Amino acid sequence: MVRGRGVRRKWCGALLLAAALAGGATACGPETPPAPGGPASGTTAPPAPSAPDTSDTSDAATRTPDASTSTAPSTSTTTGTSTTTAPSTSPTSTSTAPPDEPRPGEVLVEVVVNGGFAGVSNKLVVHYDGSWTSRSGTRPPRTGQQTPAEAAELRAALEDPAYARVPNRPTGSPIADGFQYFITYRHRLVVSGDGERPPALQRVFAALPEGGPPTSP
């Protein structure tokens, strides 16, 4: 009996060693051979992998978008307010006269007469506003005022292009003891005698106050 127990202990020890090498045994005794393809006796088989859950994907595939929560892209646009100010086209209330426009008190024409038996030297000055002054010798000057029509006629006679072509000096023979007239208009001097005058110059004399400066001393 003692021998049989010793043999059995040796056999059990060898079996335990083999079981430990194979995965470990829980008890001594005959080992049940594992089923083909199954885990060895005394070991815990690893859990089989679970199949993937397809419920979410199936729900996602069959789920329809909620029209009540969808937001269409906004198509509204913001129109900017124009702040551009149109330039003013109204004329200015103040106007200035042209630079060549004379002043009313400015001299329009000056006529001086010299000569004669007594050797006179008289002067007539007419302004743009029609006022005039006549000087004769040592007597006090005389003044007067042309009407608007008379002043306009005198200016028209002086501005006549025909007057601009009047010779600056008389072309005829001088008359003994005659008079000479010196007409100054816009810095131009025209000298005329008692003889025949060109029509444009005669028009100017006809428009002068009293026909020109006096010839008496």
Side-chain angles (χ1 to χ4, degrees):
M1 285 298 287
V2 177
R3 182 178 181 185
R5 289 181 182 176
V7 174
R8 186 175 180 179
R9 288 178 183 175
K10 292 181 180 179
W11 179 84
C12 187
L15 183 60
L16 288 175
L17 179 61
L21 294 176
T26 58
C28 294
E31 192 74 20
T32 304
S41 176
T43 62
T44 303
S50 61
D53 188 3
T54 59
S55 60
D56 294 338
T57 58
S58 62
D59 292 343
T62 58
R63 188 180 304 158
T64 57
D66 190 357
S68 62
T69 58
S70 60
T71 303
S74 175
T75 58
S76 62
T77 57
T78 302
T79 305
T81 303
S82 175
T83 57
T84 304
T85 303
S88 175
T89 57
S90 60
T92 56
S93 58
T94 59
S95 59
T96 56
D100 57 347
E101 185 68 20
R103 296 178 183 143
E106 190 175 343
V107 174
L108 171 64
V109 62
E110 179 182 286
V111 183
V112 176
V113 59
N114 290 337
F117 290 105
V120 300
S121 179
N122 302 331
K123 181 189 295 186
L124 172 67
V125 178
V126 184
H127 301 88
Y128 274 91
D129 59 0
S131 61
W132 56 270
T133 302
S134 179
R135 299 179 183 275
S136 178
T138 58
R139 287 182 284 184
R142 295 183 300 109
T143 60
Q145 178 72 47
Q146 288 183 307
T147 65
E150 291 170 345
E153 171 58 25
L154 177 59
R155 292 185 64 174
L158 292 168
E159 294 171 0
D160 189 352
Y163 177 74
R165 294 190 294 268
V166 171
N168 293 339
R169 295 290 184 271
T171 56
S173 300
I175 299 175
D177 297 327
F179 295 99
Q180 278 192 323
Y181 297 87
F182 302 85
I183 304 101
T184 304
Y185 170 67
R186 289 189 176 179
H187 309 291
R188 181 185 176 224
L189 177 64
V190 175
V191 180
S192 175
D194 278 337
E196 185 177 352
R197 296 169 182 166
L201 181 59
Q202 184 60 38
R203 181 186 176 187
V204 172
F205 272 90
L208 288 171
E210 300 181 342
T215 57
S216 59

